[in-house]
Structure formats: structure tokens, C-alpha cells
């Protein structure tokens, strides 16, 4: 054994844990510096009867790695770009921020999510919904090939021509079929956006959302939008007009040139407290959502909706709007459709493509808030049932979604059956079960 396994108390045992709601006690931690290290770690775990957990940033709220051999990929930070082919090979520890910075030098961009601190591979394996989604699809749709260590310790390349079934299933099943050491993804020729956020006060919320609901139905696919109810803490870092308040945050990411004209109806609906929408380099894409970048405790829940009717909006306002006292830090609706709804050239396990919106409900705060937050999230998601499609949104699976029966509903039934068959082939002993687990058939 050449790879070092850090035991509790030894240097290297502490892993990055961006979501501090989970305090886990792995049996040991391997900080991988090569794909070979991961192969060795997986073989060792299999021989010792330990499950394998994998972590890049620790952002996800998933099964704690208690008693597992935890493979940290955080030092696998290599990026190589082929500007002519418009592709990047991205190692497992790369964050969205460094990938965006590297690709921008070539006038290109990856399909990243809202926050630059999220791991590119972890994001992509769950589907990956980002500000370019309606133009270019889910991140997973853009993957050309990937390298993965499976439960037998083999390092395999999966692509539409090599191991095509594995290629289909890894993209959407997160860490269930092995540890991805690197992937090759398409890049897109985007260097700028007309984008940012409009922040409205509580009193304007209903009026702006009425306008938004009609407006959003007519925007082109090159426009991605979302809105969020934010209950902001009274912290100095938050600009004064928003500090300690309920705020409606409308987010815009538009790759076209006539953004100002397109956004005019939203600006006319009410005067924003802050208008931060304008021309921006793509490298500033993280400022659109402005997600916090510091490690924090966070619990969440998600759903998919077929439509956003006036009744849907009423439910959201009644249960989470400005007049409601509730432990809801963030209630967000993202518009889907466009390229997200198309059958991709390289199909994957990411389904429910006909969903029109994703819903995300989250609460940040101390552990005492967890129980009331869970109750509040459940009430809201249940009240949205008449418009829901499937179970939780695959990209936002959370610690509330660890029951395999719930995880199954994040997939389309035939895809889930195919994933279970793949799990039986590639991981019959369920070595990779410290995740949103798909048990072998
Ligand atoms: C602030 C914030 C903003 C977000 N915004 C978006 C968004 O806009 N769009 C979106 O789609 N999602 C978004 N997410 C969700 C995010 O994509 C998932 O939580 C993702 O799993 C995080 O990956 P990670 O590697 O950073 O986290 P980690 O906690 O390190 O990993 C999460 C899980 O991914 C799997 N995994 C990670 N690396 C590997 C690997 N190399 N091989 C196999 N499995 C692996 C494992 O199952 C692991 O448990 C956001 C999350 C946060 C915290």
C-alpha cells in the first residue's frame, strides 16, 4: 500500500466540509494525488469491507461518511483545454471558479452552476443546472467522456463508444458507479452576459411576480432566469437596503445583445432596491445568484414543477411570501425548458426533461433550526403537489432525500431500473453507498 490513509487525529484526516450540517467520522481519509491513488484506495476498502465515500468540497448534504474510507479529490486540480476542439479535461477536485477562469483565457466557458465554489465533477454527475442551461442544456449533456475507478479497482474510460452503458449511467447517478477521476466536457463560446440580479422589496413582491410569470413565458432560450425569496440576516456584509429584510431577487443570465429591452418589463413592474443587472464578463457569473462562499450549516429540499400558474404562485406566497414568519432562508424557482428540455445527443440518466421549473427551499443556520426547517420545507413542497413532476430534483438531492424509494423518484422509472442493473454489474456489493444510494438490483 503506497497511498496514505489518515486515521482519526492524524494530519490529512480533516476533510473539506463546506456544508457544516454534517459532522462525519470516516474510518480513514485518503487525499488522492492521482487516479492510481484512488484505485489503490478502492481496492483497499473492498478488501477491508469498508464502504467508499468521495468528496471534493463537501458541499452536498448526503449520507455521512461514518465508518467509510473517504477519498478526497481536492488535490486533483488539473485542467487542460483544447481551444480548437472547444473541450476541457477537468480533474475531480476542480471548482467551477478555476475552470471558468481557465476557459475564459480562450474565449470559452463551461456549463457551470450558480456558485463558483462547487466541484465541477460533483455538480456534473447530478445533472448540473446552470445559468447557460436553457441555451446549452445540463452540464451532463456536454460531457464527451469520463475516467472512472469502479468497485473492482479498474480505471475505465467511458464515452459513447467505450463502455457506453457506464457512460450513460454515471452521468446522473452521482457517485453510485465509481469514483470519477476526470471528465472531458464541451466548452461554449460565451465571454459575456447581460446578467445579474434585481432586488425588490417585500411590498413589490406580488406585483413583480405577476409580471414575471407572464414575461418569462415569452423570453428566448438564450435567457435563463430565476427568482428567489430571500430572508437575509442583519449582517454587515449585506448591502444596507437588503440587510435583515425579506427580498425578492430576480436573476437574469442572457447571452444575447438586446438584454436591456428584454428586461424592461421587470424594471417597469416596480423600482428595485438594487438593480445589479447589466453587461458582465462571464467570469463574474457567480455574482448573479451571489450564493455565500463560506462553509455553513444548510438544509434543503427540492421539487420539479410542470408549470407556474397563478395558483402555484399563490401557494408560494401563502407559505413562503413576505407576510410569512418561517425559517426559510431561500425559496427559489428556476425556469427550465429550452435546451434543458431537448433530448440530448449523448443521452444520460437525467430525465424529467419536461419540467418547466425547479424549486429549491433552503435554510441556513444553527442545528436547532433543522427540525422546524424540515417541517416548513415539507409543508411547502407538499402544497405544490398539484403541479409537481416526479420526486426531488436530481441536481438538488439533499439529506432529506436519502431513502432509496425517494431517490428512485428523482429518475424516470425505466432509467432507474437501468441504473439498478448497472449498479449490479459494476458495484454488486454496494461499495459506493455513502451517497444518494441506488442499491444493486
Ligand atoms: C452554494 C451551492 C450552490 C449550488 N448551485 C447549484 C446549481 O446552480 N446547479 C446545480 O445543478 N447544483 C447546484 N448545487 C448542488 C451541487 O451541484 C451538488 O451539491 C454537488 O453534488 C456538489 O458537488 P461537490 O463536489 O462540490 O460536493 P461534494 O460534497 O464534495 O460531493 C457531493 C457528492 O457528489 C459525488 N461526487 C463528488 N465528486 C465525485 C467524484 N469524483 N466521483 C464520483 N462521485 C463524486 C459524491 O456522491 C458526493 O457525495 C449547489 C450547491 C451549493 C452548495
Amino acid at each position: 500500500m503506497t497511498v496514505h490513509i489518515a486515521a482519526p487525529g492524524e494530519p490529512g484526516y480533516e476533510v473539506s466540509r463546506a456544508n457544516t450540517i454534517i459532522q462525519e467520522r470516516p474510518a480513514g481519509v485518503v487525499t488522492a494525488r492521482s487516479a492510481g491513488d484512488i484505485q489503490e484506495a478502492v481496492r483497499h476498502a473492498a478488501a477491508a469491507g469498508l464502504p467508499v465515500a468521495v468528496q471534493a468540497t463537501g458541499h452536498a448534504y448526503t449520507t455521512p461518511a461514518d465508518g467509510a474510507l473517504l477519498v478526497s479529490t481536492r488535490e486533483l486540480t488539473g485542467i487542460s483545454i483544447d481551444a480548437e476542439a472547444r473541450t476541457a479535461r477537468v480533474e475531480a477536485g476542480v471548482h467551477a471558479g478555476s475552470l471558468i477562469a481557465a476557459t475564459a483565457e480562450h474565449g470559452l466557458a463551461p456549463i457551470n452552476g450558480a456558485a463558483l465554489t462547487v466541484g465541477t465533477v460533483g455538480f456534473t454527475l447530478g445533472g448540473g443546472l446552470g445559468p447557460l442551461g436553457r441555451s446549452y442544456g445540463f452540464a451532463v449533456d456536454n460531457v464527451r467522456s469520463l475516467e472512472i475507478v469502479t468497485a473492482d479497482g479498474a480505471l475505465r474510460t467511458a464515452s459513447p463508444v467505450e463502455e457506453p452503458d457506464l457512460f450513460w449511467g454515471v452521468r446522473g447517478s452521482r457517485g453510485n458507479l465509481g469514483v470519477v477521476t476526470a471528465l472531458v466536457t464541451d466548452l461554449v463560446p460565451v465571454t459575456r452576459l447581460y446578467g445579474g440580479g434585481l432586488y425588490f422589496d417585500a411590498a413589490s413582491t406580488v406585483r413583480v411576480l405577476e409580471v414575471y410569470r407572464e414575461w418569462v413565458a415569452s423570453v428566448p432560450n438564450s435567457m435563463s432566469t430565476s427568482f428567489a425569496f430571500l430572508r437575509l440576516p442583519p449582517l454587515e456584509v449585506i448591502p444596507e437596503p437588503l440587510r435583515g429584510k425579506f427580498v425578492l431577487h430576480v436573476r437574469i443570465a442572457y447571452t444575447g445583445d438586446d438584454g436591456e429591452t428584454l428586461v424592461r418589463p421587470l424594471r417597469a413592474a416596480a423600482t428595485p432596491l438594487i438593480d445589479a443587472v447589466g453587461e458582465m464578463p462571464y467570469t463574474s457569473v457567480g455574482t448573479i445568484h451571489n450564493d455565500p462562499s463560506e462553509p455553513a450549516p444548510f438544509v434543503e429540499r427540492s421539487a420539479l414543477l410542470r408549470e407556474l400558474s397563478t395558483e402555484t404562485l399563490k401557494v408560494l406566497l401563502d407559505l413562503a411570501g413576505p407576510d410569512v414568519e418561517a425559517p426559510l432562508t431561500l425559496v427559489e424557482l428556476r425556469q427550465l425548458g429550452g435546451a434543458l428540455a431537448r433530448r440530448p445527443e449523448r443521452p444520460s440518466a437525467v430525465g424529467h426533461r419536461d419540467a418547466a421549473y425547479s424549486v429549491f427551499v433552503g435554510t441556513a443556520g444553527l442545528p436547532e433550526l433543522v427540525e422546524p426547517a424540515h417541517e416548513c420545507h415539507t409543508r411547502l413542497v407538499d402544497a405544490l403537489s398539484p403541479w409537481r413532476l416526479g420526486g426531488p430534483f436530481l441536481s438538488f438531492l439533499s439529506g432529506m432525500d436519502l431513502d432509496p424509494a425517494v431517490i428512485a423518484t428523482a429518475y424516470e422509472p425505466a432509467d432507474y431500473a437501468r441504473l439498478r442493473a448497472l449498479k449490479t454489474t459494476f458495484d454488486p456489493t454496494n461499495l459506493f453507498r455513502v451517497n444518494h444510494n441506488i442499491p444493486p438490483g
Side-chain angles (χ1 to χ4, degrees):
M1 188 80 193
T2 55
V3 74
H4 177 65
I5 301 178
E10 275 186 4
Y13 181 77
E14 291 310 325
V15 289
S16 23
R17 183 32 77 206
N19 189 341
T20 55
I21 201 80
I22 299 181
Q23 304 293 331
E24 51 206 344
R25 300 286 298 165
V29 176
V30 168
T31 303
R33 292 184 179 84
S34 67
D37 285 354
I38 296 178
Q39 287 182 276
E40 219 181 301
V42 167
R43 287 190 188 121
H44 171 82
L50 297 173
V52 174
V54 52
Q55 201 172 86
T57 66
H59 261 311
Y61 178 11
T62 180
T63 314
D66 294 339
L69 182 63
L70 194 152
V71 175
S72 171
T73 61
R74 66 177 185 268
E75 296 204 0
L76 293 172
T77 54
I79 299 173
S80 32
I81 294 171
D82 182 337
E84 212 164 296
R86 288 190 183 161
T87 60
R89 181 179 179 278
V90 184
E91 289 186 350
V94 170
H95 295 193
S98 27
L99 182 58
I100 291 168
T103 57
E105 288 176 22
H106 302 275
L108 297 167
I111 305 304
N112 53 274
L116 306 194
T117 53
V118 167
T120 294
V121 169
F123 161 80
T124 303
L125 298 184
L129 170 65
L132 297 177
R134 283 169 42 84
S135 304
Y136 296 102
F138 286 98
V140 99
D141 304 342
N142 292 275
V143 175
R144 290 200 178 192
S145 65
L146 46 86
E147 294 146 48
I148 179 169
V149 175
T150 44
D152 54 2
L155 175 62
R156 302 165 194 259
T157 299
S159 73
V161 288
E162 279 177 274
E163 307 264 18
D165 281 347
L166 185 62
F167 182 63
W168 175 87
V170 178
R171 291 173 309 126
S173 64
R174 295 170 176 264
N176 269 287
L177 297 175
V179 185
V180 171
T181 59
L183 56 77
V184 175
T185 179
D186 288 328
L187 301 172
V188 297
V190 176
T191 56
R192 55 152 288 280
L193 290 173
Y194 184 78
L198 299 170
Y199 297 81
F200 296 96
D201 66 6
S204 310
T205 302
V206 173
R207 167 85 193 118
V208 175
L209 286 186
E210 279 166 357
V211 172
Y212 174 87
R213 202 184 71 79
E214 294 201 354
W215 172 80
V216 85
S218 65
V219 297
N221 292 346
S222 40
M223 168 79 83
S224 288
T225 79
S226 63
F227 71 80
F229 297 160
L230 305 178
R231 285 175 172 78
L232 295 169
L235 299 176
E236 287 282 311
V237 289
I238 295 171
E240 196 283 320
L242 314 180
R243 197 177 299 152
K245 301 225 176 89
F246 176 100
V247 174
L248 171 68
H249 183 199
V250 180
R251 294 84 159 257
I252 306 290
Y254 181 52
T255 54
D257 294 327
D258 52 344
E260 198 168 330
T261 313
L262 265 179
V263 173
R264 202 170 284 153
L266 294 178
R267 289 191 167 116
T271 307
L273 292 169
I274 294 181
D275 183 339
V277 176
E279 279 296 315
M280 59 164 68
Y282 193 76
T283 45
S284 298
V285 65
T287 63
I288 298 177
H289 283 233
N290 257 334
D291 286 333
S293 52
E294 295 303 310
F298 199 79
V299 292
E300 66 223 23
R301 194 83 193 266
S302 69
L304 292 169
L305 302 181
R306 291 174 203 280
E307 60 167 348
L308 180 62
S309 64
T310 45
E311 291 78 18
T312 332
L313 267 187
K314 185 171 176 332
V315 166
L316 281 169
L317 289 163
D318 286 351
L319 293 183
D323 301 331
V324 180
E325 279 286 325
L328 295 170
T329 312
L330 170 77
V331 176
E332 171 193 85
L333 250 82
R334 296 194 195 187
Q335 182 194 9
L336 306 176
L340 298 162
R342 277 186 224 132
R343 192 178 152 74
E345 190 189 321
R346 298 182 282 256
S348 70
V350 178
H352 294 311
R353 302 259 175 172
D354 43 347
Y357 289 86
S358 70
V359 182
F360 179 89
V361 194
T363 302
L366 299 167
E368 303 89 87
L369 266 185
V370 169
E371 272 313 307
H374 281 329
E375 276 171 32
C376 209
H377 298 176
T378 304
R379 205 174 314 126
L380 181 56
V381 168
D382 286 353
L384 292 169
S385 295
W387 303 281
R388 282 184 61 188
L389 175 73
F393 179 29
L394 182 58
S395 291
F396 294 155
L397 278 178
S398 85
M400 284 295 279
D401 309 315
L402 295 175
D403 177 349
V406 173
I407 293 165
T409 62
Y411 298 94
E412 293 188 12
D415 290 343
Y416 185 70
R418 188 173 169 191
L419 285 175
R420 286 200 71 182
L422 280 171
K423 181 78 173 172
T424 311
T425 305
F426 287 100
D427 185 15
T429 63
N430 209 0
L431 189 68
F432 301 109
R433 59 181 177 272
V434 186
N435 47 31
H436 286 97
N437 196 227
I438 298 171

